[in-house]
Amino acid sequence: QSVLTQPPSVSGAPGQRVTISCIGSSSNIGAGYDVHWYQQLPGTAPKLLIYANNNRPSGVPDRFSGSKSATSASLAITGLQAEDEADYYCQSYDSLTWVFGGGTKLTVL
Amino acid sequence: QLQLQESGSGLVKPSQTLSLTCVVSGGSISNSDYPWSWIRQPPGKGLEWIGYIYHSGGTYYNPSLKSRVTISVDRSKNRFSLKLNSVTAADTAVYYCARNIVEVVAATGSLSRWFDPWGQGSLVTVSS
């Protein structure tokens, strides 16, 4: 049981927009801690995608964006591409520990 | 460019101790103000943070694993290590090392904490 709740799967056709939610509580996201997102391509390690709610590291396309409000956060992907098919994880901070969502599998139809 | 590489025992018997090492290249552990973490991912499941260590040797562990975990650092070899004792099949996972980033983000003025970069991961199977 993950501290942060994500939908197990989402899907979309190429070119479409999809969003992935990350629901927390008053002890993590709701306490003001930032949310970060990672992309894990099949068979590889997670890679930082969004940090501090809505900041993209160098090299991450602007098709990826993040937002945060109250006790939840969202990752949006626009102009969906086949190479975006991966698992996505949100991460925050709670009671002195780093916590993750259970992950969302994105399927590009 | 900072890179991390895990290595260690791929197969461990139940009740024994899992040992992994993470070698850091492209940067010095001693010069880093950030801590260094271990994170694991059971097959087909999500991520779990195990604990971190600073170059000074200061550590903090996930309370759920604290009784079985030891993380140490070897500054002379620019690496840090994980030991997890009394393992069971539930400890079977891909183990990643990663650098923690802990920074004040300009946009919010608050302290923010994330992981970057990550090692490629090392699969450890617990089986007799």
Side-chain angles (χ1 to χ4, degrees), chain B residues 3 5 8 11 13 22 42 51 55 60 70-71 78 81 91 94 97-99 104 109-110 115 121 128:
Chain B
Q3 292 186 318
Q5 173 85 47
L11 180 64
K13 289 182 167 48
C22 180
H55 66 82
Y60 188 77
T70 302
I71 299 177
N78 216 35
S81 299
D91 295 310
V94 175
C97 57
R99 182 182 63 172
V104 174
S110 62
F115 300 101
S128 55

Side-chain angles (χ1 to χ4, degrees), chain A residues 11-33:
Chain A
S11 62
Q16 285 189 332
R17 178 181 187 270
V18 296
T19 62
I20 298 172
S21 61
C22 175
I23 300 173
S25 67
S26 58
S27 64
N28 41 69
I29 300 174
Y33 294 116

Side-chain angles (χ1 to χ4, degrees), chain A residues 2 32-36 38 40 43-48 51-55 57 87 89 91-93 95-103, chain B residues 35 37 39 41 44-49 52 60-63 96 100-103 105 107-108 110-116 118-121:
Chain A
S2 300
Y33 294 116
D34 289 338
V35 178
H36 320 283
Y38 302 88
Q40 185 174 33
T44 70
K47 170 194 155 190
L48 182 67
Y51 67 94
N53 308 319
N54 54 16
N55 296 274
D87 294 326
Y89 292 89
Q91 174 251 308
S92 188
Y93 193 68
S95 304
L96 302 179
T97 62
W98 280 259
V99 292
F100 292 92
Chain B
S37 273
I39 299 156
Q41 183 175 35
K45 296 188 178 180
L47 299 160
E48 179 181 34
W49 173 73
Y52 70 61
Y60 188 77
Y61 304 135
N62 189 323
Y96 297 100
N100 291 56
I101 301 290
V102 182
E103 282 190 357
V105 177
T108 61
S110 62
L111 201 61
S112 198
R113 304 162 174 87
W114 65 92
F115 300 101
D116 186 54
W118 297 57
Q120 91 286 352

